[in-house]
Amino acid sequence: NAGVTQTPKFRVLKTGQSMTLLCAQDMNHEYMYWYRQDPGMGLRLIHYSVGEGTTAKGEVPDGYNVSRLKKQNFLLGLESAAPSQTSVYFCASSYSSVGEQFFGPGTRLTVL
Amino acid sequence: GQQLNQSPQSMFIQEGEDVSMNCTSSSIFNTWLWYKQEPGEGPVLLIALYKAGELTSNGRLTAQFGITRKDSFLNISASIPSDVGIYFCAGPTSGTYKYIFGTGTRLKVLA
């Protein structure tokens, strides 16, 4: 039982490049979330999903897209990376909308 | 929008001391969660609170759901070096599936 896993762990991009971050959970959770964490700030919600095939915008969605084609996977895409997207990205999942969120280990992204 | 304010922002304490931190909001929350994040890791849930006035313990940790539903408190007794980390409060925004997180309290324990 791996919980929530994220790939890759680290990535360096040049401005304008694209990439996809993968989140996978093996707990059969309906809800999945993508957050970014910047120094001195808490976690800010980028996008979330309440079930397979659904996605919704969070607090800071601009510049990101997501897809939830399979219940266990939630993908976060950056179409044209910008230095302002340098951050640590966390994926989380939960069994209910008000229950505990289980977090992955994070992906540290640097955009030059 | 809704915001969660945590204080203090950081704390340096001696091993063995007790620690108190709090989280306040301008609006009402029906759930409060307390997470701990260690360096290089994702946050891990410590305590969940679902009722106003509720007091819940997890080992040396005790958290309380404020009566006004606009605040919550976390206490750590007899701190040890492994308590080092950032402690976040979180709560679901009203009428949505989304949680907001506080800015965190960074705890350092001096042996």
Side-chain angles (χ1 to χ4, degrees), chain A residues 37 90 97-98 100-101, chain B residues 35 37 45 88 97-99:
Chain A
Q37 185 176 35
F90 288 99
S97 61
V98 293
E100 173 184 2
Q101 292 187 11
Chain B
Y35 286 85
Q37 184 180 24
L45 184 71
F88 291 101
Y97 304 107
K98 300 181 286 187
Y99 274 82

Side-chain angles (χ1 to χ4, degrees), chain B residues 8-103:
Chain B
Q9 286 189 331
S10 62
M11 304 178 73
F12 290 80
I13 61 168
Q14 293 286 339
E15 184 177 359
E17 288 184 354
D18 296 343
V19 174
S20 290
M21 60 188 78
N22 68 70
C23 186
T24 59
S25 170
S26 57
S27 46
I28 288 172
F29 279 77
N30 294 314
T31 299
W32 287 97
L33 305 180
W34 283 94
Y35 286 85
K36 178 188 177 188
Q37 184 180 24
E38 297 187 9
E41 303 286 334
V44 175
L45 184 71
L46 298 173
I47 294 178
L49 303 162
Y50 298 104
K51 269 192 203 177
E54 181 181 354
L55 189 71
T56 298
S57 293
N58 178 6
R60 293 178 296 104
L61 278 63
T62 302
Q64 183 162 23
F65 194 140
I67 293 289
T68 65
R69 294 200 280 157
K70 292 183 178 181
D71 55 14
S72 179
F73 308 90
L74 177 68
N75 296 312
I76 305 173
S77 62
S79 58
I80 59 177
S82 62
D83 290 333
V84 164
I86 305 175
Y87 292 79
F88 291 101
C89 61
T93 53
S94 57
T96 77
Y97 304 107
K98 300 181 286 187
Y99 274 82
I100 59 171
F101 283 76
T103 50

